[in-house]
Amino acid sequence: MLKNNIKLIHFVLLISLLNFLFFHFPFFSFVFENVDYKSISGIFLIISLIILMLVANAFAFYLFYFLSRYVGKFLLVITFIISSIAVYFINTYSVIIDESMIGNVLNTNYSESSTFFSFKLVLYVLLLGILPSIYIIKAKVTTVPLKKFFITISLTLLFMLTMVFVNASNWLWIDKNSKTLGGLAMPWSYSVNISLFYIHKSQKNQKEILLPNATIKDNKKSVVVLVIGESVRRANFSLYGYKKDTNPLLSKIPNVHHFNANSNATYTTAGVKSILEYKDTGDLYEILPNYLDRNNVEVIWRTTNWGEPPVHIKNYQDRAFLVPKCKGEGCSYDEVLLTDLNGQILASKKNKILIVLHTSTSHGPTYSKKYPLQFEKFKPVCNSVELGKCSQTELMNAYDNTIVYTDYILSKVIEDLKQLKDYNSAMIFVSDHGESLGEKNLYMHGLPLSMAPKEQYEIPFIVWSSDDSKQLKPNKTLSQHNVFHSVLNFLNVQSPIYDENMNIFK
């Protein structure tokens, strides 16, 4: 084979096969341990992963080699050598090559790294790295016409996309195990995670672009509680016409208004950012809590979740901070966010207060674990993390119970605010994104917005305000960006970037 010319497509398929055989035993060991390989769906998933692994790697190798024969061969050699080292550490120390592990590797000095040297490591590098590299360097690969190149990559991309979508029922399992799978797939584990490490490192060092200074225009005591929902879709709220009574409390409270809204993303980090930023710029501008805190508003952030942009305030309170001060069964759930809420408001020496409660109640796949037992209004429920194994009724019941619990939490917030007679008060509830519950064989969320079903972006936007405070405009469809300007208006904070068209209050 070294003496004769080899076609590029045959070459990359052979290299992909060697990559598969040499470096993916840990990957598929994990798959077999966590998949029912005796079931039809399990067999289909395993076969699909094998095919996708071979084709995706061959595709990448094909692309690199076509763009530059010498650079392509160099990258292949580097790939095999690094992969041989990586799989040595995986097999020997049971590590996962994720972003944190990349950080450990890149921050290790020579004296520490040299302690890992062993004869076994030399054998791995020699047999799995250097020997195939010799073949890669010496192989005589024929060139490919440009037209054939584009036809090949187009058909390959189409094939991979088809394989992905026919496995829609397995997306949840892949998403649930994505960190481990990604940390065991060669060469993607280290190549992707090295990139992510440096991207996130640069973001940590990146400073927010400050917004222009704001001015508080009166001394009237005002408080806004912004509740950020997690994976809450509008369709399952009886306030919006859902046939099951998932809002037994909110439906009876005066001054509760609900509006149609769409999220700007289908995943948490982007969705929360949209709720907190003044408009969609693509840049890292100062977010609402940081902006108000800098301009003399009391800001309190309470969270049982994650994924928010950097929050630079003194009163950042997570579950670990709140639990010791909480009493009762609800402390294991999102009720912990309500711990002594009024006490903290009354203790403030400032007249303007924003409280953000970042919840996690409707986050899948374990919906039935996100609420106390007394809120299990609809039965039977899905208790499996493999949502495709549950009936549609069980899955919907479990999710609907999270909405019933959310209804309770929001009603508790309103009841607390009603007790603050000296304050103008408001509660705004908006979700980061929606959720798929088996429609079109899709589960949870995260599809690109351009192709996501409505269940993943149609969200609730619910507002309550106290009797003597501001009334609401006759709004129709809102967006997450309405939050920033509406909070400024309610607290009577004047700012050059305030947009009256984005304010929901009269």
Side-chain angles (χ1 to χ4, degrees), residues 90-118:
I90 291 170
N91 288 337
T92 306
Y93 300 104
S94 300
V95 301
I96 301 294
I97 312 297
D98 60 4
E99 188 178 345
S100 61
M101 182 56 62
I102 292 296
N104 292 335
V105 172
L106 295 176
N107 289 308
T108 300
N109 57 34
Y110 172 77
S111 60
E112 184 178 349
S113 61
S114 62
T115 60
F116 291 101
F117 182 82
S118 69

Side-chain angles (χ1 to χ4, degrees), residues 55 69 75 87 91 102 212 223 273 470 501:
V55 174
R69 181 176 64 179
L75 289 174
V87 81
N91 288 337
I102 292 296
V223 56
K273 182 173 181 287
K470 298 186 178 184
N501 294 324

Side-chain angles (χ1 to χ4, degrees), residues 84-85 88 117-132:
S84 67
I85 297 171
Y88 161 79
F117 182 82
S118 69
F119 180 68
K120 184 179 176 182
L121 172 59
V122 173
L123 284 178
Y124 267 78
V125 174
L126 179 63
L127 297 177
L128 305 183
I130 293 177
L131 285 181

Side-chain angles (χ1 to χ4, degrees), residues 286-409:
E286 201 170 15
I287 57 173
L288 180 63
N290 299 347
Y291 184 50
L292 292 182
D293 183 76
R294 184 169 65 84
N295 285 281
N296 206 34
V297 173
E298 182 84 57
V299 181
I300 301 165
W301 183 287
R302 293 182 166 191
T303 181
T304 58
N305 209 329
W306 64 279
E308 70 273 359
V311 179
H312 308 305
I313 63 172
K314 64 178 181 179
N315 288 319
Y316 184 92
Q317 302 168 357
D318 59 13
R319 186 189 293 274
F321 176 89
L322 294 168
V323 165
K325 303 177 182 181
C326 184
K327 296 180 181 179
E329 182 189 4
C331 299
S332 299
Y333 304 92
D334 273 348
E335 280 174 78
V336 72
L337 297 173
L338 309 182
T339 304
D340 194 30
L341 196 60
N342 277 12
Q344 193 153 16
I345 293 171
L346 294 171
S348 175
K349 297 179 180 179
K350 297 181 180 180
N351 292 327
K352 306 295 182 181
I353 302 173
L354 169 67
I355 297 172
V356 182
L357 306 180
H358 189 191
T359 68
S360 59
T361 296
S362 294
H363 194 290
T366 54
Y367 305 112
S368 63
K369 307 296 183 186
K370 293 302 183 73
Y371 52 83
L373 190 59
Q374 63 264 34
F375 290 92
E376 196 159 273
K377 180 177 181 179
F378 306 107
K379 299 178 181 180
V381 299
C382 173
N383 289 309
S384 173
V385 296
E386 297 184 52
L387 301 184
K389 289 186 175 181
C390 296
S391 69
Q392 186 68 12
T393 299
E394 291 171 333
L395 178 56
M396 203 63 73
N397 283 345
Y399 184 82
D400 287 341
N401 290 333
T402 71
I403 305 302
V404 173
Y405 187 50
T406 296
D407 177 80
Y408 167 76
I409 289 173

Side-chain angles (χ1 to χ4, degrees), residues 216-222 351-352:
I216 298 173
K217 300 303 291 182
D218 64 35
N219 292 320
K220 174 62 183 174
K221 290 186 174 183
S222 305
N351 292 327
K352 306 295 182 181

Side-chain angles (χ1 to χ4, degrees), residues 19-289:
N19 177 75
F20 176 84
L21 294 174
F22 288 175
F23 307 125
H24 287 89
F25 179 78
F27 180 96
F28 283 96
S29 293
F30 175 81
V31 171
F32 273 88
E33 287 171 4
N34 292 274
V35 168
D36 181 10
Y37 55 83
K38 294 180 181 179
S39 67
I40 297 297
S41 61
I43 293 170
F44 185 71
L45 173 61
I46 292 168
I47 292 173
S48 298
L49 286 173
I50 291 172
I51 294 172
L52 275 172
M53 189 71 71
L54 288 167
V55 174
N57 284 329
F59 175 81
F61 300 158
Y62 186 83
L63 186 62
F64 290 147
Y65 194 93
F66 180 83
L67 295 176
S68 172
R69 181 176 64 179
Y70 297 108
V71 172
K73 284 195 172 187
F74 173 76
L75 289 174
L76 286 175
V77 168
I78 293 297
T79 292
F80 269 77
I81 292 175
I82 296 178
S83 293
S84 67
I85 297 171
V87 81
Y88 161 79
F89 279 94
I90 291 170
N91 288 337
T92 306
Y93 300 104
S94 300
V95 301
I96 301 294
I97 312 297
D98 60 4
E99 188 178 345
S100 61
M101 182 56 62
I102 292 296
N104 292 335
V105 172
L106 295 176
N107 289 308
T108 300
N109 57 34
Y110 172 77
S111 60
E112 184 178 349
S113 61
S114 62
T115 60
F116 291 101
F117 182 82
S118 69
F119 180 68
K120 184 179 176 182
L121 172 59
V122 173
L123 284 178
Y124 267 78
V125 174
L126 179 63
L127 297 177
L128 305 183
I130 293 177
L131 285 181
S133 295
I134 293 172
Y135 169 72
I136 291 169
I137 293 169
K138 293 194 172 186
K140 299 175 182 178
V141 185
T142 57
T143 56
V144 176
L146 188 60
K147 182 179 179 181
K148 187 174 182 180
F149 166 76
F150 281 115
I151 292 173
T152 302
I153 62 169
S154 299
L155 291 175
T156 306
L157 277 173
L158 180 62
F159 175 79
M160 288 192 293
L161 286 172
T162 302
M163 288 293 294
V164 169
F165 277 97
V166 297
N167 272 281
S169 61
N170 291 313
W171 287 0
L172 176 62
W173 183 88
I174 293 171
D175 178 69
K176 177 176 176 286
N177 297 286
S178 58
K179 183 176 181 180
T180 302
L181 294 173
L184 296 175
M186 302 296 161
W188 309 105
S189 58
Y190 53 85
S191 56
V192 171
N193 282 308
I194 286 173
S195 301
L196 288 175
F197 174 80
Y198 281 110
I199 289 170
H200 292 154
K201 187 176 181 180
S202 66
Q203 288 175 343
K204 287 179 181 178
N205 296 328
Q206 182 182 2
K207 291 183 178 180
E208 291 176 319
I209 303 170
L210 296 184
L211 297 173
N213 291 338
T215 306
I216 298 173
K217 300 303 291 182
D218 64 35
N219 292 320
K220 174 62 183 174
K221 290 186 174 183
S222 305
V223 56
V224 175
V225 177
L226 169 62
V227 184
I228 300 176
E230 169 62 56
S231 307
V232 182
R233 70 187 210 174
R234 184 167 80 228
N236 291 56
F237 276 65
S238 54
L239 285 176
Y240 289 90
Y242 187 49
K243 62 183 180 180
K244 292 156 74 173
D245 186 15
T246 53
N247 301 123
L249 300 175
L250 288 178
S251 60
K252 297 174 184 175
I253 298 176
N255 298 340
V256 170
H257 303 269
H258 59 278
F259 306 97
N260 292 341
N262 294 332
S263 64
N264 291 345
T266 61
Y267 57 98
T268 297
T269 51
V272 175
K273 182 173 181 287
S274 292
I275 294 170
L276 300 176
E277 63 186 358
Y278 82 103
K279 68 177 182 180
D280 187 11
T281 65
D283 292 317
L284 185 61
Y285 276 91
E286 201 170 15
I287 57 173
L288 180 63

